[in-house]
Amino acid sequence: MSPCTPMLLAMSFFLTSASSALAQEAQPARTWFVQAGASGNGTDASAPFGSGAEVEAASAPGDVIVLLPGGEPLDGGIQLKQDQVLRGLAGKSTRPVLTNSSTERLGGVGVLLASNTRVEGIILRETHASGIFASELGNTTIQNVLIENANIGQAIARPGFPPLPHGGITLLTGQDAEDVSALLRDVRVLESTGAGVTIAAEESGAHAALSLVDSEVLGGAPFQGSDFGVAVLSSGKNSSASLELIRSEVAGRMSLGGRNVVILARSHSNASAVIYQSRVGKSGQDGVLGVNWQLPARVAINIIDSIIEDAAQSNVEGTYLAFPHEQADADASSMDVLIHRSIIRNAGAAGPVGPASANVVMTASSIPPGQPLPVSPYTLRVIDSDIARSAGAGLMVGASENRRAADPGLYDILVRDTRFIENGVADLIVGAPAARIDAQRNCWITPEGPADPRLEIYWTEDNSGIKASSGGPCDD
């Protein structure tokens, strides 16, 4: 044998192995078909699989799964692998329907997501738990999807205090999550129990972002004290969760604790929301609620070119809960709300709260009872907006008259070029001695026409920090 032969054989083996590996990597994604009641091998639309379990067993990461319309919904749900696409192929009259009627498969979830997955063009109906669920969210896109009556089994996605319910779409981060996002475009979530859409970053260092674009989250029933349309939750050191609500509508959480949009931070975390060209409609309690649950925590909400209306208690509220804390934790927290070119109206117009309602509220909450209220910073900016026709106050800062004591919060409030229109009890109620309020150059309108601002001030004898005057635009 020539001295070169072993080397040539080794090189040949290496090149053959490398070529084989490259060929495997270059294999295109396969497309699989599934349809309720079918019995094929899944490789063609004329011979689809008949169950989610079959297509899960055959498919590989990166493959496309096509759900075909049939006479009945495909029951049992589908679990996706990394980089997979679940796509509905519409028939002549409807999109294909997927459900999961029991906990026997996937815990009753309709679609169980993996990292970098996409769901489009399907209907999810009457799932036992969430219509779409991720226990360890990776980047995902959900488009042109209708979810109806999800979580009929009243299932819990995460136990604890408070328990987190399943709902229409429930997205949780895992321990290794850093920067993950979910884009929901042209999605409708209707009448889901417990929650409509939830994203929760509840591990230290997790960062999760939710975008709802051209979408609707409407109606739904409460479950174990949870009744919200869209919820963004963060918890854990250096974690954050954010919401973009763009050209979308959220309405119809109508229990006494019903809230359409909730932005909640606790335990060294941050939560934020941008609501742009959207409508937040009727609710049983609050329209948009920002909550610092356990301190330190930070919440920021920007409402721009939007309509927030018809909440039974408050259309927009920023609050701290009164859980035990150190003052240094209160100092490190923040509640920041911006309302710009928006209409905030009709708080308390329906429901039992009535005169105790307000279009915009910044206040501490006496939850749990018996604890001192936090001495924490609040910032509110209302610019070029309408604050209209509350049954109670247009804007409430701090404690109302029926509280037992003043609110010690540190309020920095600026209102400019804004119209206060026919609010019932008062335009501005202040019950916080440390509040600094600049509400100059606005328009104050009663049923009889432009007037002086109507103020009610409690718990303080020094009103020098409160300034309100006319001079803003009073045209229609």
Side-chain angles (χ1 to χ4, degrees):
M1 178 182 292
S2 166
C4 295
T5 301
M7 182 179 295
L8 291 173
L9 289 173
M11 290 180 63
S12 175
F13 175 78
F14 172 79
L15 291 173
T16 301
S17 300
S19 298
S20 176
L22 289 172
Q24 289 179 2
E25 290 180 4
Q27 282 186 339
R30 297 190 65 178
T31 298
W32 303 92
F33 298 86
V34 60
Q35 182 183 47
S39 58
N41 62 9
T43 58
D44 189 85
S46 63
F49 286 129
S51 71
E54 290 176 298
V55 76
E56 290 166 14
S59 65
D63 285 352
V64 177
I65 299 171
V66 177
L67 178 60
L68 301 174
E72 298 291 334
L74 180 69
D75 202 352
I78 292 177
Q79 180 174 359
L80 298 181
K81 299 180 179 71
Q82 182 174 341
D83 298 319
Q84 284 190 338
V85 176
L86 173 60
R87 178 176 297 142
L89 183 63
K92 293 182 178 179
S93 59
T94 185
R95 287 174 285 175
V97 179
L98 178 64
T99 190
N100 196 346
S101 58
S102 77
T103 59
E104 293 180 5
R105 262 184 49 81
L106 312 181
V109 167
V111 179
L112 183 57
L113 299 174
S115 178
N116 299 317
T117 47
R118 183 181 183 94
V119 180
E120 58 186 35
I122 67 172
I123 296 173
L124 287 140
R125 184 172 290 152
E126 297 180 353
T127 52
H128 181 90
S130 289
I132 298 176
F133 180 70
S135 60
E136 296 186 3
L137 177 66
N139 296 332
T140 191
T141 298
I142 303 169
Q143 183 165 332
N144 188 26
V145 168
L146 170 62
I147 300 174
E148 296 179 315
N149 300 106
N151 197 24
I152 60 173
Q154 299 185 339
I156 293 294
R158 189 260 297 140
F161 178 72
L164 183 66
H166 277 279
I169 299 173
T170 308
L171 307 173
L172 312 181
T173 58
Q175 292 184 349
D176 298 326
E178 292 184 358
D179 294 298
V180 294
S181 63
L183 170 61
L184 280 58
R185 185 184 295 275
D186 190 20
V187 170
R188 301 184 73 210
V189 179
L190 308 180
E191 303 297 336
S192 57
T193 296
V197 178
T198 302
I199 189 166
E202 297 189 311
E203 300 288 343
S204 294
H207 303 284
L210 170 66
S211 297
L212 274 81
V213 182
D214 300 323
S215 296
E216 295 179 332
V217 182
L218 304 177
F223 171 57
Q224 290 194 1
S226 294
D227 187 14
F228 44 82
V230 176
V232 175
L233 315 174
S234 65
S235 179
K237 191 170 184 179
N238 298 323
S239 71
S240 67
S242 65
L243 167 69
E244 291 180 326
L245 189 69
I246 300 174
R247 297 187 304 274
S248 295
E249 181 176 4
V250 186
R253 305 306 301 201
M254 294 308 300
S255 74
L256 292 178
R259 289 151 172 135
N260 285 327
V261 179
V262 177
I263 312 300
L264 185 150
R266 64 181 180 181
S267 304
H268 301 269
S269 71
N270 304 285
S272 63
V274 175
I275 300 173
Y276 177 68
Q277 291 186 355
S278 293
R279 176 181 178 267
V280 178
K282 196 172 184 179
S283 66
Q285 185 166 357
D286 300 320
V288 177
L289 174 65
V291 185
N292 281 326
W293 181 279
Q294 290 170 315
L295 307 184
R298 294 175 177 269
V299 166
I301 301 173
N302 293 340
I303 301 170
I304 304 168
D305 291 331
S306 294
I307 297 174
I308 318 294
E309 62 183 351
D310 299 333
Q313 180 171 294
S314 55
N315 279 316
V316 179
E317 179 174 345
T319 190
Y320 290 79
L321 302 190
F323 285 99
H325 60 276
E326 300 295 331
Q327 185 55 45
D329 293 333
D331 293 340
S333 301
S334 62
M335 175 61 63
D336 300 328
V337 177
L338 167 68
I339 300 170
H340 189 203
R341 297 194 306 266
S342 294
I343 297 172
I344 317 296
R345 65 189 178 194
N346 301 337
V353 178
S357 64
N359 276 320
V360 181
V361 180
M362 301 290 277
T363 187
S365 298
S366 53
I367 301 173
Q371 297 293 326
L373 300 179
V375 183
S376 296
Y378 301 74
T379 301
L380 172 66
R381 299 290 183 264
V382 183
I383 309 295
D384 191 19
S385 296
D386 284 358
I387 309 296
R389 298 180 181 87
S390 168
L395 168 60
M396 181 184 295
V397 177
S400 61
E401 183 182 18
N402 60 6
R403 289 279 185 90
R404 294 183 177 181
D407 187 328
L410 307 175
Y411 292 91
D412 177 6
I413 313 294
L414 174 66
V415 185
R416 277 288 185 277
D417 299 325
T418 289
R419 301 191 307 168
F420 286 77
I421 305 171
E422 299 179 17
N423 293 294
V425 173
D427 294 312
L428 177 60
I429 293 178
V430 183
R436 295 295 177 262
I437 300 175
D438 182 351
Q440 302 178 92
R441 213 177 69 214
N442 298 294
C443 182
W444 317 83
I445 301 173
T446 68
E448 291 73 35
D452 292 331
R454 295 175 301 129
L455 277 61
E456 292 189 5
I457 301 173
Y458 305 106
W459 311 109
T460 180
E461 296 179 358
D462 180 7
N463 300 336
S464 61
I466 303 170
K467 297 178 173 63
S469 67
S470 301
C474 283
D475 56 314
D476 292 331

